[in-house]
């Protein structure tokens, strides 16, 4: 099992920007053809309420740019000091090259910067943080991590199995080298589940040929989703989540020797309230320590959901206090990972809405 | 757990108020939809039974749902 421990890296800042359009599930009822009864149950059970998405043409990089610029300005960062830029996303600006390289120029970083993309979704923040911490452990002093997705662009516009869950967000995280700061990571991958959450078209297996043939998956909504859109087998993903996440907690506790009581916050990826409350029930951890309602307000923010929860709901705590945190990501791949990270009154502003800069 | 109690648990999980009979076809039960399927998987998981979406799809009747619970349900 991939278990890693670091002792030189520290998070200095976390900022998140969400899409500029707020959508309410009540207003989207017609679009998704929900009848009154299923809408009531989706609101009550899954927790669907509102979500923030971008206007046409806005990319993940635009959201991350606003988050990064805010950190640079507020902390008076000299751009020449940033040695590495990592961008975790499934919605890059182009199929190639890596958006991270474009962001090096756009953010005014030096050409001495190391930059590349990492293709991960809901587990992406934990993996991105792991990579950034590895760089610091290897000798770099300052790393900028960008994470997020314009998830609304990845789903079929009226695919009711997925589109109503998704929100758009882009975060920036600044990581610095310090004398001593311990952190622990536990990571897993299981490619046998790749077909349960997938965008099948557009790669080399099913290339994009201008006219995309819609595959009939035998479900009533097949006509609403093309091979260029994300497909999710909700049952499989739910089953995966409630099985692997509680186990991951156990592994992290055993690896770190830290107990549940010592942790201030468990910030998990936020797919929806229902999955999180099912996990919380198994672990016996309260809503106060393990927030579960981010997706009900902002939508599922993929790799920016952990940072989105911090900037959305815990920004005062993270700004003012020394905290012991557990971050947990899980999803597409299938890929999952958890880390124990301490933060010491970091720069964590309240979540920003995209303002078109 | 007695069979009667498990059937009540099924009703509660599916949010169904009317009685369930063993021979009832799941596809004829209004409350048995994709959301109910998630709730049922969570219910089995809490009983310590691994019910995958595939296994659940094979269940055609209420009786099949009882069989899936295995030794958790007695024959009484």
């Amino acid at each position: 099992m991939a278990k890693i421990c670091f002792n030189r890296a520290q998070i200095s800042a976390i900022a998140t920007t969400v899409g500029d359009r707020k959508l309410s599930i009540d207003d989207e009822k017609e679009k998704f053809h929900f009848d009154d009864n299923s809408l009531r149950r989706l609101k009550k059970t899954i927790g669907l309420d509102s979500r923030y998405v971008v206007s046409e043409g806005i990319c993940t990089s635009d959201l991350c740019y606003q988050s990064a610029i805010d950190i640079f300005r507020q902390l008076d960062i000299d751009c020449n000091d940033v040695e590495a830029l990592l961008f975790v996303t499934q919605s890059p600006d182009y199929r190639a090259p890596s958006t991270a390289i474009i962001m090096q120029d756009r953010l005014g970083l030096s050409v001495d910067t190391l930059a590349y993309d990492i293709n991960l979704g809901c587990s992406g923040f934990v993996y991105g943080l792991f990579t950034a911490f590895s760089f610091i452990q290897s000798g770099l002093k300052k790393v900028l991590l960008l994470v997020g997705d314009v998830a609304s662009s990845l789903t079929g516009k009226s695919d009711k199995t997925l589109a109503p869950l998704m929100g758009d967000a882009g975060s920036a995280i600044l990581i610095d080298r310090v004398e001593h700061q311990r952190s622990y990571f536990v990571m897993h991958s299981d490619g046998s589940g790749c077909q349960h959450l997938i965008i099948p078209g557009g790669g080399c297996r099913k290339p994009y040929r201008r006219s995309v043939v819609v595959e009939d998956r035998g479900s009533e909504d097949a006509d609403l989703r093309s091979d260029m859109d994300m497909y999710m087998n909700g049952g499989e993903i739910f089953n995966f989540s409630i099985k692997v996440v509680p186990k991951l907690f156990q592994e992290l506790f055993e690896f770190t020797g830290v107990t549940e009581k010592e942790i201030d916050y468990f910030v998990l990826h936020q797919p929806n309230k229902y999955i999180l409350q099912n996990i919380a029930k198994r672990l016996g951890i309260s809503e106060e320590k393990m927030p579960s309602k981010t997706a009900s307000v902002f939508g599922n923010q993929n790799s920016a959901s952990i940072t989105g929860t911090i900037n959305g709901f815990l920004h005062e705590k993270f700004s003012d206090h020394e905290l012991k945190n557990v971050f947990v990501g899980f999803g597409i791949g299938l890929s999952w990972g958890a880390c124990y990270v301490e933060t010491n009154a970091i720069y964590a502003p309240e979540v920003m809405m995209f303002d078109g800069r | 757990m007695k069979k009667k109690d498990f059937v009540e648990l099924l009703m509660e999980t599916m949010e169904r108020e009317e009685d369930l009979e063993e021979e009832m076809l799941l596809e004829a039960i209004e409350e048995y939809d994709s959301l109910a399927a998630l709730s049922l998987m969570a219910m089995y998981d809490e009983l310590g039974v691994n019910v995958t979406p595939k296994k659940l799809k094979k269940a055609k009747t209420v009786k099949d749902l009882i069989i899936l619970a295995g030794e958790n349900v007695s024959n009484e």
Side-chain angles (χ1 to χ4, degrees):
Chain A
M1 187 196 307
K3 289 180 181 174
I4 306 99
C5 173
F6 299 115
N7 62 8
R8 301 304 296 270
Q10 170 186 280
I11 296 175
S12 306
I14 298 174
T16 300
T17 304
V18 297
D20 50 305
R21 292 167 57 218
K22 182 180 180 180
L23 301 176
S24 152
I25 190 68
D26 291 317
D27 300 334
E28 296 193 283
K29 185 185 157 197
E30 306 291 319
K31 180 167 74 182
F32 295 123
H33 305 289
F34 288 133
D35 60 46
D36 286 336
N37 192 38
S38 40
L39 183 66
R40 180 190 62 80
R41 290 186 62 209
L42 284 167
K43 286 167 80 170
K44 180 172 164 248
T45 310
I46 305 292
L48 295 191
D49 188 359
S50 64
R51 60 198 185 105
Y52 285 78
V53 300
V54 294
S55 299
E56 189 78 28
I58 305 301
C59 299
T60 308
S61 60
D62 301 321
L63 303 177
C64 289
Y65 177 81
Q66 183 172 325
S67 302
I69 288 294
D70 179 70
I71 291 177
F72 286 178
R73 290 199 180 137
Q74 294 300 325
L75 297 187
D76 200 18
I77 302 295
D78 180 349
C79 290
N80 290 314
D81 291 343
V82 178
E83 294 166 304
L85 190 164
L86 290 162
F87 189 23
V88 178
T89 194
Q90 300 172 112
S91 42
D93 288 10
Y94 309 104
R95 277 192 57 216
S98 270
T99 307
I101 303 167
I102 299 164
M103 293 300 275
Q104 166 273 324
D105 177 54
R106 207 173 148 193
L107 286 166
L109 308 185
S110 126
V111 293
D112 298 331
T113 309
L114 171 175
Y116 61 84
D117 287 2
I118 298 174
N119 181 343
L120 283 170
C122 303
S123 64
F125 172 66
V126 173
Y127 275 81
L129 202 62
F130 160 76
T131 312
F133 278 29
S134 307
F135 287 173
I136 296 284
Q137 195 77 25
S138 312
L140 298 192
K141 292 188 190 69
K142 201 176 276 299
V143 178
L144 180 66
L145 169 65
L146 306 177
V147 298
D149 266 316
V150 167
S152 64
S153 74
L154 302 176
T155 58
K157 289 282 174 284
S158 43
D159 177 0
K160 66 178 179 183
T161 66
L162 206 48
L165 300 166
M166 293 302 188
D168 301 334
S171 302
I173 303 99
L174 192 67
I175 297 117
D176 280 296
R177 187 176 173 89
V178 290
E179 270 313 303
H180 189 79
Q181 178 76 272
R182 274 187 109 66
S183 55
Y184 299 83
F185 288 76
V186 180
M187 334 277 270
H188 295 270
S189 309
D190 181 6
S192 74
C194 76
Q195 76 278 14
H196 299 320
L197 199 45
I198 190 167
I199 302 172
C204 288
R205 289 261 174 251
K206 279 193 180 182
Y208 176 67
R209 303 265 188 238
R210 285 181 199 280
S211 59
V212 176
V213 181
V214 175
E215 185 192 352
D216 181 7
R217 291 174 193 276
S219 65
E220 59 185 26
D221 51 55
D223 59 324
L224 304 174
R225 183 178 57 235
S226 85
D227 270 349
M228 295 300 289
D229 298 317
M230 191 168 280
Y231 161 78
M232 176 173 77
N233 181 331
E236 290 286 354
I237 295 300
F238 175 79
N239 198 39
F240 156 75
S241 304
I242 60 170
K243 295 234 161 24
V244 303
V245 177
K247 219 174 137 194
L248 197 54
F249 272 67
Q250 224 45 57
E251 290 167 4
L252 193 69
F253 288 147
E254 280 168 24
F255 182 34
T256 58
V258 176
T259 60
E260 187 244 305
K261 281 200 176 75
E262 296 170 62
I263 305 291
D264 295 298
Y265 288 108
F266 294 91
V267 190
L268 273 62
H269 164 57
Q270 304 275 312
N272 60 61
K273 185 187 81 175
Y274 186 62
I275 288 185
L276 289 166
Q277 289 183 344
N278 263 289
I279 292 169
K281 199 162 126 192
R282 280 161 181 70
L283 294 163
I285 301 173
S286 69
E287 166 74 26
E288 203 179 31
K289 277 178 84 163
M290 197 170 120
S292 69
K293 298 194 174 70
T294 309
S296 299
V297 178
F298 296 105
N300 178 343
Q301 301 169 307
N302 288 10
S303 53
S305 61
I306 293 171
T307 43
T309 302
I310 291 171
N311 295 117
F313 301 95
L314 304 169
H315 51 97
E316 286 173 4
K317 297 282 182 198
F318 274 75
S319 297
D320 298 340
H321 299 279
E322 284 184 25
L323 301 173
K324 293 184 168 72
N325 310 291
V326 168
F327 301 139
V328 184
F330 50 97
I332 192 163
L334 303 169
S335 165
W336 63 108
C339 60
Y340 168 85
V341 174
E342 294 176 9
T343 53
N344 184 7
I346 63 170
Y347 174 64
E350 192 173 0
V351 69
M352 297 173 274
M353 264 172 71
F354 180 64
D355 62 14
R357 275 182 295 187
Chain B
M1 170 180 344
K2 286 180 186 167
K3 203 183 275 178
K4 179 174 129 289
D5 297 330
F6 182 74
V7 172
E8 270 178 29
L9 179 62
L10 283 178
M11 287 166 58
E12 196 186 307
T13 308
M14 287 188 212
E15 294 188 52
R16 180 182 166 91
E17 282 164 18
E18 288 163 58
D19 281 347
L20 288 173
E21 307 295 338
E22 278 188 46
E23 60 280 6
M24 273 181 168
L25 283 172
L26 295 174
E27 60 183 19
I29 296 171
E30 197 198 333
E31 293 83 358
Y32 192 79
D33 59 9
S34 60
L35 267 183
L38 295 187
S39 305
L40 286 170
M41 277 192 286
M43 176 203 77
Y44 284 115
D45 187 62
E46 277 166 52
L47 293 173
V49 190
N50 184 16
V51 173
T52 60
K54 267 185 200 155
K55 273 194 205 169
L56 196 57
K57 228 172 202 167
K58 281 188 192 143
K60 300 293 170 210
T61 61
V62 171
K63 190 179 180 184
D64 292 339
L65 293 181
I66 298 170
I67 292 167
L68 276 176
E71 291 173 355
N72 287 286
V73 180
S74 64
N75 250 330
E76 290 173 57

